[in-house]
Amino acid sequence: MKILLSVFFTPVVMLLSAGDVLAAIRTQNIEYKQGNTILEGYLAYDDAIKGKRPGVLVVHDWTGLQTFTKKRTEQLAKLGYVAFAADIYGKGVRPKNQQESGTQATIYRQDRKLLRQRVTAGLQVLQNYQLTDPKRIAAIGYCFGGGTVLELARSGANIQGVVSFHGNLDTPNPADAKNIKSKVLVLHGADDPFVPKEQLQGFENEMRQANVDWQLISYGGAVHAFTNPEAKNDPKGALYNPIAEQRSWKAMRQFFGEIFR
């Protein structure tokens, strides 16, 4: 796998005691490949931390790897993780509207084998990064990305946990849940119209039948995209919910505390 790096730095303001060294969140755009397709991910880490640390793979929503996902990646770096935002669509493929987002997302939702290959390529970049402890890795995803990290788990990826934020829960291959090696946490908007009750029930049955260590938390009053402040124009379908966002982030951190002991 060929990896090309371009580096730029993002400073983080910190209060320091005498003798402390100024620390910063460092970020890198990383080019890598899946097959013949060039992808461009986004990596962040805190340079005040020395040595290897747990890694978190982040998968974008249907809009592609844009500002929202990058900010989440930087937030994870501030918590002490090496965070890498994978690129599922390809370098330069950044949808500009809902129609373009839907077109791109549909390609991978209809081809789960390709989706798994794309997310696995991103996982390999994170696993091989010099600061990552490859024995302590989790994957999180938002909306389209939530469904993607569940597919990563179903592929049998050797990671410790996956977290889906308001993601799709369906899969054409529910029997693949037998391959899951990681713990699973689903953070779900209880009123999400894009995840019907039948899909929710199917997911629960899938997890039970495969004897997966799984959790599902439903947030009352929350719909799709409840973590994204930009989701504010569709109150019946996708809408930011600051309370659900805070609770879900806290649940993720507690989950990480468990799997990264």
Side-chain angles (χ1 to χ4, degrees), residues 68 98 143 166 188-194 219-245:
F68 173 76
Q98 288 192 356
C143 302
H166 43 77
H188 172 67
D191 298 323
D192 188 338
F194 301 112
Y219 298 104
V223 293
H224 199 62
F226 60 78
T227 64
N228 191 343
E230 297 301 314
K232 51 190 175 184
N233 297 320
D234 185 10
K236 293 184 179 179
L239 184 68
Y240 177 58
N241 185 313
I243 295 175
E245 179 197 15

Side-chain angles (χ1 to χ4, degrees), residues 3 9 16 47 60 79 98 109 115 124 140 186 209:
I3 301 176
F9 303 130
L16 302 175
D47 71 352
H60 56 75
L79 294 178
Q98 288 192 356
R109 284 187 50 75
L115 178 62
Q124 290 172 348
I140 73 170
V186 170
Q209 291 171 10

